[in-house]
Structures are given as structure tokens and as C-alpha cells.
């Protein structure tokens, strides 16, 4: 894939660098237009004439930039999740043009989601039952956390919910469907700042399946997902994903045994992140190059996941 397009990054930190790496891997030729954060957008005509804008600034700036772009810009917008982090900003969803706005929930394109989709297509998994997610690492123990905007209550008022949990809220929406109930317990164990660094969420879906999510910046490294369907299970342990099937597996003595592994794959968290990021950027940039529009369902799922972050259905 190759093309000559004009791209601007509003925010040029680590996430912007990851997106630029994805663009390079996709062999996208582009001219990078500089953004001056000390100037208003309306006073930066080069930015407003870009083919695409990547919004990769701190979370608390997203809503304001989206509002300015909506009023003054007609190109394509890639906004890193979450689009807002204060509930009173929710009106932005009714104002921006969903046809040209894409949100960076890159786990929608992850190897885990693809593995689950393949299992569902090839086997009779039956009804979804439960998904249990535990993702943690001791980020709050590092000096980088205290220096990061993620530990600042003004920049990240929802804490670990908006920076980590929202990925898995969105994953549960993609795999199990819409929500009917959500409840969260939030804690700040590190006391590095006033921002919550740990969260436990309970979700009930329309199909009566459930999801529980534990995320933390204050506990040891763990990356596990266990998905239970009526007729089989899928388990990811941070490096290997196994599909156990069928549930009606019995030994010679007639007692139930662990079902055999009928499918497996190996990939670690970094590989999942890098691959899903590249797929996410590819989805966006393909629409830009083809001057095509995004499906409204993608936009509405972003609204659902964002509201769930505020424990609102």
C-alpha cells in the first residue's frame, strides 16, 4: 500500500510514534504537517487542509479538539480512545460526523477477537456464558507513572478505567454484545496521586451472559482472559490461547475430563498490541485513501463503550 497524503498528529508522544510505525509498516507515504499546540486550530490552515488528523494527545484534550475539528475541518479524524473522559462531554457524539471519524479501539482487531470469531464459525459453541479478564502490571511503582499525565486527576479523571479497562469493556461488547448492567469498584492502592489505579467491573449483557474485568497499575504482571461458551472454553494466559471443545468430554470411568484442545495459537501481549494497532490504522487509512465512509455501527459501539466507562447503559 502506498500513497502521498497529508497527515497531522495532534499530540506527538509515544502513541503517535506507534501509529507512525504502523504507517511505515503499511508502506504509507505521507507528508507530516506540524501542529502548533500554542495556536488555535482555526489559525493553522495547513492542518485544516490535511487529508487526515490523528488525535493522540492526552485524554482530557480529545473532546475539545473533536469539537474544534468538527466545526472547522472536513477531512478524516482518527481519535485515540477514549473520545471523552468527562460525562458532560457526551454531547460530542451527536455533533461530529461519524462517516469520517474513527476511534482507536485497536483491540477490536486483536488476534484474540479473531481467534474467537474463527472458533464460533467452525464449531457449535452455543450461547455465550461468561468472560473473565485480568490485566495488570505495576506501572504505578515506576517513576514514569508519577511523571505521566495518566496519574494526573485533571488529565485522567477516570484513571485506569479510561486508559486500560475501556479496551476490555469494548472487547466484551464486540464478543458478547450490548450491555444491560454495569457496576465498578474503583481503588487507589499506590497513593501516588488521586487517580484510581485499580478497577473491578461487572457487566451483564442483553443475552444474559456476563463479563468481569480486573485491571490494575498496582499489582503484579498478569494477562489472562477466560471465555466460557455453552459448549466450549477459550483461555489466553498471556502467551498461548487454547480452545477447549467439546464440553461433553468424559474419561473411561464416565467422569468429566478437561475437553481436548482443538485449536491453539501463540502470541504475547506485545504482539497482540502491535498487530491490532496496525490493523486498526490500516482500517482507518484505507477509508482515507478510498475516500470512503465508516459504518455507523463502529461509531455507536464507541458511544456504548464510553458510556459504560461512566457505568451508564
Amino acid at each position: 500500500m502506498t500513497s502521498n497524503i497529508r497527515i497531522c498528529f495532534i499530540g506527538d508522544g509515544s502513541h503517535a510514534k506507534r501509529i507512525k510505525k504502523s504507517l511505515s509498516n503499511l508502506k504509507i507515504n505521507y507528508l507530516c504537517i506540524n501542529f502548533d499546540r500554542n495556536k488555535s486550530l482555526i489559525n493553522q490552515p495547513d492542518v485544516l487542509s490535511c487529508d487526515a488528523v490523528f488525535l493522540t494527545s492526552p485524554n482530557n484534550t480529545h473532546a475539545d479538539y473533536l469539537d474544534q475539528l468538527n466545526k472547522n475541518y472536513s477531512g478524516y479524524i482518527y481519535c485515540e480512545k477514549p473520545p471523552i473522559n468527562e460525562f458532560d462531554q457526551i454531547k460530542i457524539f451527536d455533533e461530529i460526523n461519524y462517516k469520517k471519524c474513527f476511534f482507536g479501539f485497536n483491540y477490536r482487531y486483536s488476534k484474540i477477537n479473531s481467534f474467537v470469531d474463527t472458533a464460533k464459525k467452525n464449531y457449535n459453541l452455543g450461547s455465550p456464558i461468561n468472560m473473565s479478564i485480568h490485566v495488570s502490571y505495576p506501572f504505578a511503582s515506576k517513576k514514569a507513572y508519577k511523571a505521566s499525565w495518566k496519574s494526573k486527576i485533571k488529565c485522567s479523571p477516570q484513571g485506569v478505567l479510561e486508559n486500560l479497562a475501556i479496551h476490555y469493556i469494548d472487547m466484551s461488547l464486540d464478543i458478547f454484545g450490548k450491555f444491560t448492567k454495569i457496576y465498578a469498584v474503583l481503588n487507589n492502592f499506590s497513593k501516588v496521586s488521586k487517580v484510581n489505579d485499580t478497577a473491578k467491573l461487572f457487566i451483564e449483557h442483553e443475552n444474559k451472559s456476563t463479563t468481569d474485568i480486573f485491571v490494575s497499575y498496582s499489582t503484579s504482571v498478569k494477562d489472562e482472559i477466560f471465555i466460557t461458551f455453552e459448549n466450549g472454553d477459550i483461555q489466553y494466559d498471556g502467551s498461548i490461547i487454547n480452545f477447549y471443545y467439546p464440553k461433553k468430554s468424559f474419561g473411561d470411568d464416565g467422569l468429566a475430563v478437561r475437553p481436548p484442545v482443538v485449536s491453539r495459537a501463540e502470541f504475547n501481549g506485545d504482539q497482540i498490541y502491535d498487530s491490532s494497532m496496525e490493523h486498526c490504522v490500516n482500517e482507518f487509512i484505507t477509508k482515507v485513501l478510498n475516500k470512503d465512509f465508516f459504518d455507523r455501527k463502529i461509531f455507536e459501539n464507541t458511544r456504548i463503550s464510553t458510556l459504560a466507562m461512566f457505568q451508564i447503559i
Side-chain angles (χ1 to χ4, degrees), residues 49-104:
S49 64
C50 283
D51 296 290
V53 169
F54 282 89
L55 185 46
T56 53
S57 53
N59 294 353
N60 64 308
T61 66
H62 292 177
D64 182 57
Y65 282 131
L66 283 171
D67 182 55
Q68 292 185 56
L69 288 166
N70 179 58
K71 293 174 179 176
N72 302 286
Y73 176 66
S74 60
Y76 289 82
I77 302 168
Y78 179 112
C79 178
E80 176 55 18
K81 60 78 198 158
I84 64 171
N85 65 1
E86 295 280 6
F87 180 68
D88 61 7
Q89 300 165 335
I90 196 70
K91 62 183 180 181
I92 195 68
F93 282 103
D94 296 320
E95 298 171 352
I96 54 181
N97 180 9
Y98 76 87
K99 294 180 179 180
K100 287 190 171 183
C101 192
F102 183 85
F103 298 101

Side-chain angles (χ1 to χ4, degrees), residues 134-185:
H134 183 129
V135 178
S136 59
Y137 53 99
F139 181 30
S141 300
K142 302 179 70 173
K143 291 181 180 179
Y145 177 73
K146 187 174 183 178
S148 169
W149 59 264
K150 292 181 179 180
S151 70
K152 307 296 187 289
I153 195 71
K154 181 179 178 180
C155 299
S156 184
Q158 309 305 321
V160 73
L161 267 180
E162 65 181 88
N163 293 307
L164 189 56
I166 195 166
H167 276 302
Y168 301 100
I169 293 171
D170 193 69
M171 175 184 280
S172 73
L173 174 64
D174 185 58
I175 295 176
F176 277 7
K178 291 183 179 181
F179 314 135
T180 55
K181 296 178 184 177
I182 184 165
Y183 174 72
V185 178

